[in-house]
């Protein structure tokens, strides 16, 4: 997903500002664990009232697999809605609903491998997660908005990204409303003089924060459905602008399908509605902020699409999430960069392929500067096990630094090995969960390189390199001696460093791989150089200071 920093500007990420006094007040984060049981499938039936302001009735049937012996309670996450009844295998059972948990007491303890069905009937207005308010045109609407762990306010669930499951939705709504949800749509049934029932089947396991539906008086505009059923559901006032505003969608789908793997879901709906994010990547049903198609922007225009670059990047970012974040999901919140860093980088890759190399370099430079500004205040590992407020994980570490980690791996390994490894990583973990080490292993196999030092520094350690360089010409030996210092407080960053050495015939390119924080190397040359340029194509996320002038000798 993407948050917006300024109300009047599309931008690829928020920067959350922390007060200096709270920077180091961190403790180990406690996450919801999938240990004694896990959901495998949800059947969710909801009837909305006429003004779309509450759930008149709701029923969630949850298929549960038992993971260890002697399980006597299923502890569902559930918000403050009224629970009317709970059944296990169609038999009423005792339950306790308090403090965001619905504890279902089983008639007898179950052993590992057992499978049961739990039915929860409930009603009311969710406190969060399901946004029930007017759309931008003033018409009633309902939109799911669950990230990071807010789906439990309206669906009893195990609300952690690793608890992936398939889901069916059956939504009964007033006839004036159109409904969309995850999955393949079924026939729409007229269930009364004033209502219709819409059904959707998502056959691929998705993280709970992606399980949504939306209902409202949308205009539905078909998109290019060459690769999958693509449509735009927008407030009626956006009907004219939707096709142009979402023009990057079909090319994004095509590029990511060609680069990674086939699109993973049954359809793709791009929805404009109420969300606290600029874009939220719900599987097959992406929701964008209400004013996304007509927000004024100071960002330059894409030469390919004639739209602001911010909007192009936003659409590509959310579509990239369908592969990374939705299909391959981070196994813990500590690996959120496997979702947000990937989406940020592949949005840049889309810019590279559509608007060219200069636009891509501008994109990467902008993301790098955003991270470096953030790192002057907050210096934590990319693999963050401590930040307890999950919204604060939506920061330039997970987005921009995560994107740069992928960019540097691409530079280190080369395109062939890098994209081969990315495809292998995706295919190994699609419809499942993955960790940073899983990504490392896939890239090691594709490249034949040991990437443990790289991941230790860039993923599991904080910060970035701060370089200083000195060079001198030794006339007697006909060598240029280059000394590179890493002056950051963190340990060595093991990146290969490109150098461009200027001589009378032009620039000669060399690569140095420092093994210590102060590292010197002699490079033979036929003549005295006039300049040595450090990382001339900006392939490393870094600071550079105090370049020293050559010493005569």
């Amino acid at each position: 997903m993407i948050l917006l920093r300024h109300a009047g500007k599309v931008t690829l990420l928020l920067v959350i500002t922390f007060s200096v006094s709270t920077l180091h007040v961190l403790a180990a984060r406690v996450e919801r664990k999938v240990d004694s049981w896990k959901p495998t499938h949800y059947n969710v039936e909801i009837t909305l009232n006429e003004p779309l302001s509450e759930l008149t009735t709701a029923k969630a049937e949850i298929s549960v697999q038992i993971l260890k012996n002697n399980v006597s309670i299923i502890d569902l996450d559930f918000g403050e809605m009224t629970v009317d009844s709970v059944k296990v295998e169609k038999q009423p059972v005792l339950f306790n609903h308090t403090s965001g948990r619905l504890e279902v007491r089983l008639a007898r303890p179950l052993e590992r491998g057992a499978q049961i069905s739990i039915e929860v009937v409930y009603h009311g207005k969710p406190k969060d997660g399901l946004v029930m308010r007017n759309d931008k045109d003033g018409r009633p609407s309902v939109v799911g908005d669950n990230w990071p762990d807010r789906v439990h306010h309206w669906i009893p669930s195990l609300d952690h990204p690793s608890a992936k499951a398939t889901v069916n939705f059956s939504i009964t709504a007033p006839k004036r409303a159109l409904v969309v949800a995850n999955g393949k749509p079924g026939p729409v049934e007229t269930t009364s003089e004033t209502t219709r029932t819409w059904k959707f089947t998502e056959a691929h396991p998705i993280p709970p924060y992606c399980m949504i539906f939306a209902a409202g008086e949308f205009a539905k505009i078909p998109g290019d459905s060459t690769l999958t059923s693509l449509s735009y559901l927008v407030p009626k006032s956006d009907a004219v602008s939707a096709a142009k505003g979402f023009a990057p969608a079909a090319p994004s789908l095509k590029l990511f399908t060609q680069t990674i793997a086939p699109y993973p879901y049954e359809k793709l709906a791009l929805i404009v509605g109420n969300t606290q994010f600029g874009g939220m990547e719900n599987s097959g049903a992406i929701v964008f902020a209400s004013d996304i198609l007509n927000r004024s922007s100071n960002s330059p225009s894409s030469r390919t699409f004639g739209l602001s670059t911010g909007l192009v990047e936003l659409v590509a970012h959310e579509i990239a999430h369908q592969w990374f974040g939705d299909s391959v999901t981070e196994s813990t919140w500590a690996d959120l960069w496997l979702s947000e860093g990937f989406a940020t980088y592949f949005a840049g890759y889309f810019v590279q392929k559509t608007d060219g190399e200069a636009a891509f370099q501008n994109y990467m430079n902008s993301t790098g500067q955003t991270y470096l500004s953030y790192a002057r205040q907050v210096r934590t590992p990319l693999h963050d096990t401590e930040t307890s407020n999950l919204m604060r994980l939506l920061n330039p570490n997970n987005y921009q630094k995560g994107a740069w980690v992928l960019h540097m791996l691409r530079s280190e390994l080369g395109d062939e090995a890098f994209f081969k490894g990315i495809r292998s990583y995706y295919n190994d973990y699609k419809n499942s969960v993955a960790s940073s080490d899983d990504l490392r292993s896939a890239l090691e196999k594709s490249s034949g390189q040991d990437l443990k030092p790289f991941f230790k520094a860039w993923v599991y350690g904080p910060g970035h390199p701060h370089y200083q360089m000195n060079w001198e010409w030794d006339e007697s030996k006909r060598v240029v001696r280059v000394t590179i210092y890493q002056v950051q407080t963190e340990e060595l960053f093991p990146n290969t460093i490109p150098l461009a050495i200027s001589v009378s015939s032009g620039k000669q390119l060399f690569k140095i791989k420092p093994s210590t924080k102060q590292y010197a190397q002699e490079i033979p040359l036929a003549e005295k150089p006039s300049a040595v340029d450090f990382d001339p194509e900006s392939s490393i996320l870094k600071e550079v200071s105090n370049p020293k002038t050559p010493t005569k000798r």
Side-chain angles (χ1 to χ4, degrees):
M1 84 293 308
I2 288 176
L3 287 180
L4 300 181
R5 190 191 307 179
H6 303 298
K9 178 182 177 184
V10 177
T11 183
L12 196 64
L13 179 66
L14 84 167
V15 174
I16 296 178
T17 302
F18 298 89
S19 66
V20 175
S21 63
T22 63
L23 295 186
H24 303 292
V25 184
L26 297 173
R29 180 177 57 250
V30 177
E31 295 194 15
R32 185 80 159 101
K33 292 183 178 180
V34 182
D35 53 4
S36 61
W37 63 276
K38 70 175 182 180
T40 58
H41 179 73
Y42 295 86
N43 273 321
V44 181
E45 299 179 13
I46 288 173
T47 299
L48 299 165
N49 66 353
E50 173 62 25
L52 302 183
S53 61
E54 66 177 46
L55 281 57
T56 304
T57 63
K59 180 172 71 174
E61 296 177 354
I62 308 153
S63 299
V64 169
Q65 181 177 348
I66 305 301
L67 301 179
K68 66 181 184 181
N69 293 331
N70 202 35
V71 173
S72 58
I73 292 178
I74 303 298
D75 53 335
L76 291 158
D77 298 309
F78 195 44
E80 299 176 2
M81 298 179 71
T82 300
V83 176
D84 300 308
S85 67
V86 178
K87 296 179 180 179
V88 174
E89 296 297 315
K90 302 187 183 302
Q91 298 300 313
V93 295
L94 296 174
F95 64 90
N96 182 43
H97 184 205
T98 184
S99 301
R101 288 289 171 90
L102 176 61
E103 292 187 345
V104 179
R105 301 187 181 276
L106 303 179
R108 57 180 177 80
L110 296 178
E111 303 304 299
R112 180 179 179 180
Q115 298 187 33
I116 58 172
S117 176
I118 299 174
E119 175 193 283
V120 182
V121 177
Y122 53 102
H123 71 276
K125 182 169 184 172
K127 181 180 179 180
D128 200 355
L130 192 63
V131 182
M132 311 183 88
R133 66 170 183 259
N134 289 350
D135 67 13
K136 61 178 291 188
D137 293 344
R139 296 182 172 94
S141 73
V142 180
V143 180
D145 192 43
N146 299 323
W147 200 93
D149 56 355
R150 296 184 291 134
V151 72
H152 72 273
H153 288 289
W154 61 283
I155 301 176
S157 54
L158 201 166
D159 204 351
H160 187 272
S162 65
K164 300 179 72 170
T166 54
V167 59
N168 294 345
F169 281 105
S170 176
I171 309 297
T172 300
K175 277 190 174 181
R176 69 178 186 279
L178 295 182
V179 177
V180 64
N182 314 107
K184 182 179 180 179
V188 180
E189 301 177 5
T190 299
T191 44
S192 76
E193 291 184 359
T194 59
T195 62
R196 292 184 294 179
T197 297
W198 304 68
K199 295 185 178 182
F200 298 85
T201 302
E202 179 50 75
H204 301 86
I206 61 176
Y209 64 70
C210 283
M211 297 177 181
I212 69 119
F213 77 92
E217 297 180 49
F218 297 113
K220 184 175 182 179
I221 294 93
D224 180 350
S225 294
T226 303
L227 296 172
T228 190
S229 175
L230 175 63
S231 62
Y232 317 132
L233 284 87
V234 301
K236 291 181 179 179
S237 62
D238 282 338
V240 174
S241 58
K244 179 174 176 58
F246 286 133
S252 296
L253 281 167
K254 181 178 180 180
L255 177 64
F256 301 150
T257 293
Q258 292 171 340
T259 305
I260 307 161
Y263 176 70
Y265 300 110
E266 296 85 353
K267 60 109 178 45
L268 180 58
L270 305 186
I271 306 157
V272 171
N274 291 312
T275 171
Q276 66 179 283
F277 306 106
M280 178 58 215
E281 64 268 18
N282 316 296
S283 310
I286 299 170
V287 178
F288 294 90
S290 292
D291 61 346
I292 204 70
L293 295 176
N294 46 36
R295 180 185 288 117
S296 62
S297 173
N298 296 324
S299 66
S301 178
S302 162
R303 64 179 177 83
T304 301
F305 298 103
L307 301 167
S308 73
T309 54
L311 180 55
V312 172
E313 294 158 8
L314 172 60
V315 172
H317 179 109
E318 301 307 332
I319 290 177
H321 267 308
Q322 304 296 296
W323 285 264
F324 301 112
D326 294 5
S327 184
V328 178
T329 304
E330 63 277 8
S331 55
T332 70
W333 289 117
D335 278 323
L336 181 61
W337 80 279
L338 297 177
S339 175
E340 299 302 345
F342 266 80
T344 303
Y345 189 64
F346 274 86
Y349 181 64
F350 180 71
V351 169
Q352 183 181 32
K353 292 300 182 180
T354 55
D355 274 357
E357 191 63 30
F360 176 60
Q361 291 301 326
N362 287 337
Y363 177 91
M364 293 307 300
N365 179 64
S366 177
T367 61
Q369 291 305 313
T370 298
Y371 161 74
L372 290 172
S373 295
Y374 174 82
R376 294 184 189 105
Q377 301 180 62
V378 182
R379 217 161 171 100
T380 56
L382 187 57
H383 182 85
D384 182 348
T385 61
E386 294 186 326
T387 300
S388 58
N389 183 338
L390 297 177
M391 290 297 289
R392 287 190 171 182
L393 291 175
L394 301 182
N395 60 46
N397 248 15
N398 280 313
Y399 285 73
Q400 282 92 342
K401 184 179 182 181
W404 263 94
V405 166
L406 292 173
H407 186 54
M408 291 184 292
L409 284 165
R410 183 181 174 189
S411 298
E412 289 274 343
L413 306 181
D415 275 16
E416 182 178 357
F418 174 76
F419 285 110
K420 181 181 178 181
I422 294 297
R423 286 189 290 270
S424 176
Y425 165 74
Y426 174 80
N427 286 317
D428 286 347
Y429 298 101
K430 66 182 178 182
N431 297 322
S432 186
V433 297
S435 68
S436 293
D437 279 345
D438 294 326
L439 173 64
R440 175 185 56 77
S441 178
L443 291 170
E444 285 180 339
K445 289 177 182 176
S446 69
S447 67
Q449 296 190 29
D450 178 9
L451 295 176
K452 291 184 183 68
F454 182 97
F455 273 68
K456 179 183 177 183
W458 282 106
V459 176
Y460 297 106
H464 54 273
H466 185 161
Y467 294 108
Q468 294 177 358
M469 183 186 73
N470 184 32
W471 66 271
E472 58 182 359
W473 172 250
D474 188 327
E475 183 68 34
S476 62
K477 296 174 66 175
R478 309 296 288 177
V479 298
V480 61
R481 180 180 176 86
V482 178
T483 306
I484 295 174
Y485 307 88
Q486 291 191 27
V487 298
Q488 73 279 353
T489 58
E490 293 85 9
E491 295 181 2
L492 174 79
F493 285 83
N495 296 62
T496 300
I497 300 171
L499 299 176
I501 301 180
S502 297
V503 293
S504 60
S505 59
K507 289 188 176 182
Q508 297 183 20
L509 301 179
F510 297 89
K511 291 184 177 181
I512 291 180
K513 194 171 181 65
S515 56
T516 59
K517 290 183 73 173
Q518 179 177 332
Y519 182 83
Q521 184 168 323
E522 294 183 343
I523 301 173
L525 288 175
E527 59 179 298
K528 180 181 178 180
S530 59
V532 177
D533 295 330
F534 186 93
D535 189 21
E537 296 185 353
S538 298
S539 61
I540 302 171
L541 181 62
K542 64 189 180 299
E543 292 180 85
V544 180
S545 65
N546 300 325
K548 298 182 180 179
T549 56
T551 302
K552 293 182 180 180
R553 187 169 175 179

